[in-house]
């Protein structure tokens, strides 16, 4: 009888332990489901670049089993702040933020940090706060260098050719990247400006003067209209325009077309860009824009997904720059991807063959 009782107690104990094991397993699974939420805050869906960045990141994160709250703020700062606040309320574990205005998120990022949320600034540095954990971007100074060297090569400046007339455009003054683009380009072009091999007929060369708020195509077109009217309406030749990105370049192209550029007697000037948006690649194919710097956001999204995975596993994310990006409060550990340039001779190899675009999309 005692032996039977002992056997029964042993069986009951074993079943009890098995039950506890099953409960613990379910609890762990539920905890994982609750703790894998990643908030992705993008500036706008109206620009191809940000729409693609958000979708790429969401699909890659979901493929790894993470839950993603992807939001676009329509370039409205208050909307973006509210979206981030909602992500904090939902108890996301990591925030990936491409800021509309990097100087306006200090308070909401502080709230995220107080809630134990890691913050990755995505391609636009979040300024004036020590609560940013990482920054993922491209080498933005190098973007400007590539644009400057392209102009240098196409004009034969190294061989002493010139003088040539140039006009300068800058990006949005509330985007920290814009100054990196400008400084990178000027590191190549300023020596030629100082020597008189590059001449700025409008005299407009300070960043605050040439900057275009919000990277707005219409504002770039308006400024180009004014330059043509004030400086180039009486036959002064325009040889080259430095544009830091494609949204400005497409506005500049529209202005030049309206002013009669694009003929044998009045050809389009050399015009730079960045992002390889579809309308701009079409402009490159049709000889209206000269080049665009390609930042393969698929690679950047992949890197950010790796960083998020490391963070959620309790590890440090990989970085390759700990010196460059000072946000006014701290130097933010960063991962920089390399950009390349695209022009008419190589766009098929870089953009089509890699699967970034289908050939039919560029016809």
């Amino acid at each position: 009888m005692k032996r039977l009782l002992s056997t029964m107690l042993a069986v009951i104990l074993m079943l009890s332990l098995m039950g506890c094991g099953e409960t613990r397993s379910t609890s762990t699974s539920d905890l994982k489901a609750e703790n894998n939420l990643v908030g992705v805050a993008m500036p706008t869906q109206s620009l191809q670049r940000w729409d693609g960045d958000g979708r790429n990141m969401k699909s890659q994160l979901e493929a790894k089993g993470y839950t993603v709250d992807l939001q676009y703020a329509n370039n409205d700062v208050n909307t973006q702040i509210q979206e981030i606040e909602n992500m904090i309320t939902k108890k996301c574990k990591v925030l990936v933020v491409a800021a509309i205005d990097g100087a306006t998120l200090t308070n909401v990022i502080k709230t995220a940090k107080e809630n134990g949320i890691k913050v990755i600034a995505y391609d636009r540095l979040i300024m004036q706060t020590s609560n940013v954990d990482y920054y993922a971007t491209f080498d933005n100074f190098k973007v400007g260098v590539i644009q400057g060297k392209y102009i240098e090569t196409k004009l034969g400046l190294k061989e002493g050719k010139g003088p040539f007339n140039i006009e300068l455009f800058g990006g949005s003054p509330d985007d920290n990247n814009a100054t990196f683009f400008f400084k990178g380009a000027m590191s190549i072009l300023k020596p030629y400006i100082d020597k008189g091999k590059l001449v700025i007929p409008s005299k407009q060369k300070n960043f605050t003067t040439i900057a275009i708020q919000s990277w707005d195509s219409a504002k770039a077109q308006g400024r180009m209209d004014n330059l043509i009217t004030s400086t180039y309406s009486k036959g002064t030749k325009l040889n080259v325009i430095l544009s830091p990105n494609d949204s400005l370049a497409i506005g500049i192209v529209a202005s030049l077309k309206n002013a009669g550029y694009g003929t044998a007697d009045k050809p389009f000037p050399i015009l730079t860009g960045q992002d390889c948006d579809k309308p701009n690649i079409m402009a490159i194919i049709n000889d209206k824009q000269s080049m665009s710097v390609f930042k393969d956001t698929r690679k950047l999204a992949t890197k950010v997904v790796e960083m998020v995975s490391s963070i959620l596993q309790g590890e440090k994310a990989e970085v390759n720059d700990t010196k460059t990006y000072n946000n006014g409060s701290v130097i933010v550990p960063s991962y920089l991807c390399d950009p390349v340039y695209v022009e008419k001779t190589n766009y098929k190899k870089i953009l089509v063959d890699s699967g970034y675009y289908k050939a039919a999309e560029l016809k």
Side-chain angles (χ1 to χ4, degrees), residues 130-149:
S130 61
N131 297 314
V132 181
D133 297 282
Y134 297 102
Y135 181 36
T137 188
F138 288 83
D139 189 332
N140 294 312
F141 187 87
K142 188 174 181 179
V143 169
V145 169
I146 290 171
Q147 293 169 341
K149 285 188 173 181

Side-chain angles (χ1 to χ4, degrees), residues 11 27 57 104 109 155 169 188 232 237 253 287 304 318 320 335 341 348:
V11 170
S27 177
M57 204 179 313
T104 62
I109 295 303
L155 294 179
F169 280 72
I188 304 300
Y232 296 93
K237 187 172 183 181
V253 167
D287 300 315
V304 171
E318 180 186 4
N320 59 10
Y335 192 94
Y341 80 87
K348 288 182 180 178

